[in-house]
Structure formats: structure tokens, C-alpha cells
Amino acid sequence: MTLSTDAALVLFSGGQDSTTCLAWALQRYARVETLGFDYGQRHAIELTVRPNILQAIRTLDPSWATRLREDHVLDLSVLGEVSETALTRDSEITMQADGLPNTFVPGRNLLFLTLAAALAYRRGISVLVGGMCETDYSGYPDCRDETLRTLQSALRLGMNTQLTIETPLMWLDKPATWQLADQLGGQSLIDLIRTETHTCYLGERDQLHEWGYGCGHCPACELRAKGYQTYRASA
Ligand code: ZN
């Protein structure tokens, strides 16, 4: 089957990284669709901010408004049945003995990308875009470039297509990710990411800090705050 190389499906969770990836895709592809997963996250806030971000990003650029098409949300509650982690159960986020945070859902990105590939195939799309990053990857082995290159080969063989997995953040740290957003959409995209996206593990959205909403103490908030401060200091 021939899939369009001018169309992309973005794995879009509603966080800083996937929103930056969405802007990256909107600059490059004539048709961009988005995909989110509902897997019984402890806080469904990511899922509730998604439509607001999609609405807001359309207002930043008329061509982005034209290019941004269908949003898909797949129910992946089965993930909660195969993993007991701090993201899906009410337990504290700690580091495990193997050096991985206990938020780790084994092989999560392999599942996400395989499902995304199946959906992309059906939609005639050949490019998958994901915010996986080896630089700040907290040891998640399914964010490694080698993992994703290998999965891309498996998907190409298994689906008999020239599907591509694009990971624009792979070698960027958090300050560089803010910088990329700046290049893609200037201050208005930075403001959108600051105020509309969600990163905090605890689902806290009461207080707006200069780097966005969040508890300010969990590992995700700390990484996001530090990245923003370093980006601002160098801007
Ligand atoms: Zn937090």
C-alpha cells in the first residue's frame, strides 16, 4: 500500500514535548492528525488539556489551522492490567533498584507506536511523530533511538510499507526543546506551551509558575522548570 509521505500522525499526549512535536509536524506536513491514549492514567488531566491545545494551536498560524485534521483517542485501559506503576495506581513516585522511576510502564512506547502505525496505515499516513528523547529519558529503554529504529524496521516489514518514525526531540535536552518551540512558533507558541500543556505527575493545575502549571516538586515539574529557566537565561 502506498501511504502519503506528506501526512503525519503525531503521538499527542498534551504535554510540553508532544505539543512541540505537533508544531514541528505542522511546519512540515500538509496533513497532520493527532493520537492520544487513554490508559487509566492516575490523572486524566493530560486528556482534558488536549482539545484546548489543539484549538489554541490552530489560532497561531493560518496554515497550521488548515493542516491540522482529525484527533484520535484510543482506549488502552488494558495497559493498567499488565502494569502496576505509580502512574496508574495511587503510590508514590520513587526510583526502583534498577535505576528506573516506578512510573515506568514496560514497553509502553512500543505499544503506542505499533497502534499508531496501524491507525496511520488505515489513514494513508506514512510518518509517525513522537516526542521520545534519549537525552532526558530517565532510563526509559523504549525511548532510545536504537529501540525506535529497530521498531521502525519491524513495522515496515510487518506492514509492508515505508513507514517512518520521526523523533525531533531525540537529541535535545529540555532547554533545547523550549528553544525549538521558539523557532517554530515564537513567543505565542512558548506561551501556549507554558499555559496549556500539562507535565506534572501529580496532576496539579492550581498554580501558574513562569514555566507552566504544576506542583513544582515532582520529577516532571523539576525537569520542566529547570529546562525553562536555562532556556530563559540563554535567550
Ligand atoms: Zn509536579
Side-chain angles (χ1 to χ4, degrees), residues 1-3 121 152-163:
M1 175 163 167
T2 308
L3 305 175
Y121 186 97
Q152 175 179 279
S153 301
L155 291 170
R156 283 180 176 184
L157 279 169
M159 296 189 177
N160 197 25
T161 62
Q162 283 307 303
L163 182 114

Side-chain angles (χ1 to χ4, degrees), residues 200-202 214-218 221:
C200 177
Y201 282 147
L202 304 181
C215 72
H217 307 294
C218 75
C221 280

Side-chain angles (χ1 to χ4, degrees), residues 37-43 47 75-77 80 87-89:
F37 295 103
D38 185 351
Y39 55 98
Q41 296 96 322
R42 259 210 307 197
H43 303 282
L47 292 174
D75 178 359
L76 213 52
S77 49
L87 278 189
T88 50
R89 311 279 159 136

